[in-house]
Amino acid sequence: MTRLKKKFFIHFLILAVFSPIVFASAGLGAEYCASNGDSVYYEWIQGVAIGEFSNISDSNNGYADFTAKVIDLAAGSYPISLTPGYGSGTYTESWKIWIDFNHDFTFTTDEVVYSGSSSNTIVGNITIPDSALSGDTRMRISMRFGTAPPACGSFAYGEVEDYTVRIEGTIDTIPPAITGVAPATGTINVPVDGVISATFSEPLDPATPFPNHWTLRPLPLPLFSSVTVPPR
């Protein structure tokens, strides 16, 4: 099931027979692709510093989820420092950093903010564009032995770390559109304790609040319900 085809389900008790149409500006949590290094026997990510933020992590078996750590950034340039750790000897490590600027749960080539290689601590700068959407989003830092790491998938040697970046900028206030409803619009005789599922054009932040009632048209009656979102 693709990201845009996922659905959330509204479980409700119907006290009468309606032709239900659910109107809501709610979306679903989507998932970022997984990525990891298969082996950290020789090398791993030892330290990351961006602006005033720093994190010394040591080896994390190929992947570390540091999304609980929030890095506050705004449009502009920030110095970075990336440090590899080694089991023995030193090797040429290739680094790449992505930030999901448009919050679409993918890492694209235009969201690569840094790329470089070195056997020692590497320093540089990343730039947050004015067009970056504000709010919390994902940053992925990957280090791979030899060639540049991919945004998704596994590779033989190296490590991946994910962080949360909180960006100050333009807020996206346009709600996603409903692209499909099941049962179809105009369906009658929906059973008691039935299910209406709605598919949306894009995912929302999983923290988006859901209302506890919905409006049915043409009858503007409240429909008390619970909402179930598929796990991330």
Side-chain angles (χ1 to χ4, degrees):
M1 187 178 293
T2 63
R3 176 174 61 84
L4 296 183
K5 294 297 184 181
K6 288 182 179 178
K7 303 174 181 178
F8 75 77
F9 301 95
I10 306 165
H11 299 276
F12 57 89
L13 176 63
I14 300 179
L15 301 179
V17 177
F18 300 107
S19 299
I21 305 173
V22 177
F23 291 84
S25 58
L28 358 134
E31 296 180 353
Y32 284 96
C33 64
S35 185
N36 68 278
D38 290 332
S39 173
V40 290
Y41 182 82
Y42 297 102
E43 62 267 282
W44 56 85
I45 297 175
Q46 180 70 23
V48 169
I50 298 177
E52 298 180 354
F53 171 86
S54 65
N55 184 45
I56 304 300
S57 58
D58 213 339
S59 172
N60 290 280
N61 298 317
Y63 174 76
D65 181 355
F66 290 127
T67 54
K69 298 180 181 292
V70 179
I71 306 170
D72 292 311
L73 301 174
S77 180
Y78 296 85
I80 63 168
S81 175
L82 306 170
T83 302
Y86 295 109
S88 62
T90 60
Y91 307 92
T92 299
E93 307 298 337
S94 293
W95 297 80
K96 192 169 280 192
I97 303 176
W98 297 262
I99 297 178
D100 180 18
F101 289 128
N102 61 359
H103 300 190
D104 68 349
F105 294 86
T106 60
F107 299 113
T108 55
T109 55
D110 60 340
E111 293 176 326
V112 175
V113 294
Y114 183 79
S115 181
S117 61
S118 176
S119 59
N120 299 307
T121 296
I122 193 169
V123 295
N125 290 278
I126 65 171
T127 298
I128 307 301
D130 292 334
S131 59
L133 295 181
S134 70
D136 291 359
T137 192
R138 184 70 58 89
M139 177 177 70
R140 174 161 292 174
I141 301 177
S142 295
M143 185 196 80
R144 180 185 187 183
F145 167 66
T147 58
C152 305
S154 61
F155 45 88
Y157 300 102
E159 198 162 54
V160 178
E161 293 184 350
D162 280 348
Y163 294 85
T164 295
V165 171
R166 182 167 294 159
I167 298 176
E168 297 178 9
T170 303
I171 299 176
D172 180 9
T173 59
I174 300 175
I178 296 178
T179 58
V181 176
T185 299
T187 299
I188 62 174
N189 296 326
V190 176
V192 171
D193 197 24
V195 174
I196 293 177
S197 64
T199 304
F200 291 83
S201 60
E202 62 182 82
L204 287 183
D205 189 312
T208 299
F210 291 98
N212 64 2
H213 69 275
W214 306 85
T215 300
L216 299 184
R217 295 183 181 177
L219 299 178
L221 299 177
L223 179 67
F224 293 93
S225 62
S226 62
V227 177
T228 301
V229 179
R232 291 172 63 82

